Amino acid sequence: MEFCHEPGRIFALDESGRLLAEVTFPRREGVAEIDHTFVDPSLRGQGVAGQLLQAAADTLRAQGLKARPTCSYAVRWFETHPEYADLLN
């Protein structure tokens, strides 16, 4: 699955433009708050949410930003990926 990147958002659309998956991380006070993760039910259980979080974490690292996960999935993802602990604010 290919992801599209916009400032503060990584997402995937189907051929008709329908949203399939998304993670949002707007900047607040100089920190990217990972506040929303969505995966269409048709894709659940395929690791798409994890791929989104990894893409977001890699983007934040490349931009020199810290992350504040507030979405429950993002909180759990960071707990199970200690290699990204340096990003946590």
Side-chain angles (χ1 to χ4, degrees):
M1 172 173 294
E2 275 193 52
F3 295 123
C4 302
H5 294 252
E6 292 180 350
R9 180 179 184 224
I10 298 173
F11 61 101
L13 305 174
D14 70 8
E15 305 81 32
S16 67
R18 183 175 61 95
L19 183 66
L20 292 176
E22 170 183 59
V23 61
T24 58
F25 46 98
R27 290 185 194 183
R28 296 189 171 114
E29 301 170 7
V31 176
E33 180 180 347
I34 303 174
D35 62 358
H36 172 72
T37 305
F38 164 77
V39 175
D40 187 81
S42 68
L43 296 174
R44 291 190 184 154
Q46 298 179 37
V48 175
Q51 292 171 32
L52 281 170
L53 260 292
Q54 183 170 354
D58 290 342
T59 297
L60 296 176
R61 182 174 277 155
Q63 294 175 355
L65 294 171
K66 292 291 187 179
R68 180 183 306 129
T70 57
C71 157
S72 61
Y73 183 84
V75 169
R76 284 191 310 276
W77 188 88
F78 275 97
E79 288 173 352
T80 60
H81 291 83
E83 67 273 22
Y84 288 98
D86 61 298
L87 295 177
L88 296 174
N89 182 32

